[in-house]
Amino acid sequence: MAEHVIQIENLVKRYKELVALDHLNLTVEEGEVFGLLGPNGSGKTTVISCILALLQFDKGSVRVFGKEMQPDSYDIKRQIGVVLQNVAVFEELTVQENIDYFCGLYIKDKRERKQCVEEAVHFSGLEDFRKFYPKKLSGGLLRRLNIACGIAHKPKLIILDEPTVAVDPQSRNRILEGIQKLNQEGATIIYTSHYMEEVEQICTRIAILDKGRCVATGTKEELKAMIKTGEKIHLEIWELKPEHLEELRRLRHVYQVDYREGMLEIRCSGGKHNLVHILDYLARQEISFGRVYSELPTLNDVFLEITGKELRDSAD
Ligand code: ADP
Ligand code: MG
């Protein structure tokens, strides 16, 4: 059997009395785009720091490419590319010089390095900014530089910690497409985010983190199949009586009905033709309605059902 790229067992990390990682288990296989999805403070950055042996942990084990990770595991570290949450580049070096510096930590051969830097510049779309200093770059371009510095040496494993926070949509798309491209070229990716849409878009497997624990793992389809909600139906209705809500609640597959500010939200557990049955009921009662739409469950619904909380914080 092929070895795991990463194997984390019973990992515990405390910051004084705060338990940041609480017996966390995770396995990442070669070729995956593995998503760590969780709200702010759920422990994503702490896991990454433990994987990289940047942080000492209290209990458990972290194996990377089949070997126990240590602060001096340089042979392993050489094969890892890291893009940390806080942008880490040199203010006194230009875009091109920054990429060349980081690439030079791994690749000594000048010609090979030049080639790698060139590819990273193109990969990040920084051709027009080679001579710029970091402080002249927009937030999105700075993030792209941060990524270019982390991946120029063509690592087998790439770890990106929230690389799209506070980035404009154009840079965000470019970053997400770039990550998929790196994966197609053979890299295994670990991607952390608190944006469920991004994780759904690019990750082949996802671990949902809450309070330092992994509460569910699977493909997005598997995660959504774990919960009761199969379909959410929204209807704009100006007036509804309590007895109507009662009767709607009794329709087949319907298990939750909420009516707030003229919007009716009905949650159904699987089943087909839910919308037809609901509209049929409204027609019989001569209740008029406006906009109608049906939604499949999101990863937020998964998070909500498992933890009882919303994934997003109100700041987003
Ligand atoms: P995330 O990356 O998911 O936002 P973190 O791993 O940064 O979460 O944080 C997990 C928990 O650990 C949070 O409650 C955070 O406040 C706490 N924490 C993180 N770093 C430190 C630190 N250096 N000292 C004390 N507490 C910390
Ligand atoms: Mg973080």
Side-chain angles (χ1 to χ4, degrees):
M1 205 185 89
E3 71 191 19
H4 307 295
V5 172
I6 290 184
Q7 188 170 28
I8 295 177
E9 281 177 324
N10 275 318
L11 189 61
V12 176
K13 170 65 194 172
R14 292 192 194 90
Y15 295 109
K16 300 214 173 88
E17 61 277 15
L18 182 115
V19 182
L21 298 179
D22 185 4
H23 297 87
L24 183 96
N25 290 288
L26 270 187
T27 313
V28 179
E29 308 294 347
E30 191 174 339
E32 288 189 313
V33 180
F34 190 88
L36 279 175
L37 177 68
N40 289 329
S42 55
K44 302 181 295 296
T45 300
T46 305
V47 181
I48 301 299
S49 306
C50 291
I51 292 174
L52 297 168
L54 297 173
L55 201 59
Q56 281 195 334
F57 43 86
D58 298 275
K59 219 176 110 181
S61 78
V62 176
R63 297 176 76 81
V64 182
F65 298 124
K67 290 187 198 135
E68 199 80 27
M69 190 68 174
Q70 304 287 347
D72 62 351
S73 303
Y74 298 114
D75 54 330
I76 303 179
K77 288 190 177 180
R78 248 189 288 283
Q79 305 181 58
I80 306 178
V82 191
V83 178
L84 293 176
Q85 187 171 359
N86 299 318
V87 173
V89 295
F90 293 104
E91 291 296 333
E92 56 274 22
L93 299 181
T94 64
V95 163
Q96 178 127 3
E97 287 164 352
N98 261 297
I99 302 173
D100 186 63
Y101 172 82
F102 286 101
C103 192
L105 297 177
Y106 304 92
I107 298 178
K108 296 298 164 202
D109 182 81
K110 269 197 179 154
R111 266 190 40 210
E112 189 189 349
R113 185 160 93 223
K114 201 166 165 224
Q115 175 73 25
C116 285
V117 171
E118 209 42 43
E119 282 179 34
V121 167
H122 288 294
F123 172 81
S124 318
L126 290 167
E127 294 92 339
D128 298 337
F129 306 95
R130 292 171 193 273
K131 298 239 155 61
F132 279 52
Y133 288 93
K135 63 173 178 295
K136 295 275 182 205
L137 299 177
S138 68
L141 288 171
L142 192 59
R143 286 262 158 193
R144 275 146 67 172
L145 171 61
N146 196 40
I147 294 172
C149 292
I151 58 105
H153 61 292
K154 299 188 194 295
K156 270 178 34 185
L157 169 63
I158 300 173
I159 302 178
L160 303 110
D161 194 6
E162 308 229 30
T164 59
V165 167
V167 157
D168 58 281
Q170 195 198 345
S171 283
R172 170 178 296 215
N173 286 337
R174 177 130 202 161
I175 291 169
L176 294 178
E177 282 165 18
I179 291 168
Q180 285 182 300
K181 187 152 166 279
L182 292 168
N183 178 245
Q184 281 152 17
E185 288 167 2
T188 302
I189 312 276
I190 297 181
Y191 183 85
T192 88
S193 180
H194 65 282
Y195 299 126
M196 62 172 183
E197 295 86 355
E198 291 187 352
V199 169
E200 278 206 27
Q201 191 181 332
I202 67 166
C203 296
T204 55
R205 216 151 58 85
I206 300 158
I208 298 183
L209 293 196
D210 181 44
K211 293 185 187 151
R213 287 178 306 132
C214 176
V215 295
T217 317
T219 63
K220 58 178 188 272
E221 292 81 12
E222 287 166 349
L223 291 171
K224 289 175 185 183
M226 287 176 194
I227 61 168
K228 196 168 162 193
T229 305
E231 186 181 9
K232 277 191 296 183
I233 294 170
H234 303 258
L235 301 110
E236 197 173 22
I237 299 185
W238 295 275
E239 216 189 315
L240 261 186
K241 298 201 178 86
E243 61 258 36
H244 292 141
L245 290 176
E246 218 24 73
E247 282 168 358
L248 282 165
R249 209 167 270 131
R250 283 203 292 271
L251 290 178
R252 234 178 128 219
H253 298 302
V254 171
Y255 74 91
Q256 195 180 320
V257 177
D258 292 298
Y259 183 53
R260 252 179 258 127
E261 292 163 15
M263 276 311 277
L264 178 66
E265 183 189 289
I266 299 180
R267 285 178 181 255
C268 306
S269 55
K272 283 192 181 132
H273 313 303
N274 294 314
L275 184 58
V276 177
H277 295 306
I278 291 165
L279 295 182
D280 186 49
Y281 170 80
L282 295 176
R284 275 187 280 118
Q285 300 296 319
E286 296 185 3
I287 297 169
S288 50
F289 52 86
R291 242 166 2 116
V292 173
Y293 60 95
S294 161
E295 258 186 326
L296 294 172
T298 62
L299 290 177
N300 186 52
D301 295 314
V302 177
F303 192 80
L304 184 64
E305 273 195 35
I306 296 176
T307 68
K309 296 175 300 193
E310 296 282 335
L311 179 58
R312 343 202 91 198
D313 40 46
S314 46
D316 282 314

